[in-house]
Amino acid sequence: MSTSAAFDAVGSYIFGSMSDRIGRVPILYGGFLINMIPVLMVSIIGVPGNRDSNAYAFIFLWAILLGIADAVWMTVTPSIIAELFQDRESQSAFASFTMWRSFTTAMMSLVGPFLPLQFRTALLGGSILLAGVVQIFVGSSGIQRND
């Protein structure tokens, strides 16, 4: 978890600066692609066993990629919310976003250990694909830069 959090912290700074220069939507697309890599890794390769010599490298790579992707989602999404909504609306939109993010994190922490890995991976992949569809909508709405 500390590996993911470290890359999340550094990535937030980097992607925040990059999104100001090149636009929010390209950064979101990159985050989507980076987020799909760990899902595909688990779906295709599976999780290596404890005796596999590559197990630690796999876990660290997975944590690094998820940390980078999380940095994109948690840095750029609030900026897009602020651009899409006006004053009071942006406050309630950001509150809703934060509430649902916290709710889903809590629910997965509670029920996740009881769900099979394949189901959790499919759920994560489906959520990322849904976020990708929303990104296409946001990208077509003209939100590109915060000048």
Side-chain angles (χ1 to χ4, degrees):
M1 276 192 68
S2 60
T3 302
S4 181
F7 277 86
D8 191 347
V10 172
S12 292
Y13 177 75
I14 292 169
F15 293 123
S17 299
M18 284 177 57
S19 71
D20 287 339
R21 282 186 271 134
I22 65 172
R24 312 241 186 273
V25 175
I27 299 296
L28 277 174
Y29 287 144
F32 168 73
L33 294 174
I34 291 169
N35 214 165
M36 284 305 290
I37 293 170
V39 171
L40 293 173
M41 285 170 54
V42 170
S43 298
I44 295 169
I45 301 169
V47 178
N50 292 339
R51 295 177 190 237
D52 189 355
S53 62
N54 296 325
Y56 289 112
F58 180 88
I59 291 168
F60 276 112
L61 178 61
W62 199 68
I64 288 167
L65 291 171
L66 287 178
I68 292 170
D70 192 52
V72 171
W73 299 125
M74 295 305 122
T75 303
V76 178
T77 305
S79 300
I80 288 179
I81 289 172
E83 291 174 0
L84 287 175
F85 296 96
Q86 302 298 321
D87 300 326
R88 289 193 181 269
E89 290 177 342
S90 72
Q91 293 173 1
S92 60
F94 186 71
S96 294
F97 167 72
T98 304
M99 183 217 32
W100 283 109
R101 183 183 70 202
S102 299
F103 174 76
T104 55
T105 301
M107 287 306 296
M108 284 309 291
S109 296
L110 290 172
V111 300
F114 303 107
L115 300 173
L117 178 63
Q118 294 81 7
F119 181 77
R120 287 181 287 169
T121 304
L123 190 60
L124 178 62
S127 300
I128 295 168
L129 287 175
L130 178 62
V133 170
V134 170
Q135 287 178 26
I136 291 169
F137 169 74
V138 170
S140 66
S141 71
I143 303 292
Q144 294 292 327
R145 303 182 68 102
N146 185 14
D147 293 314

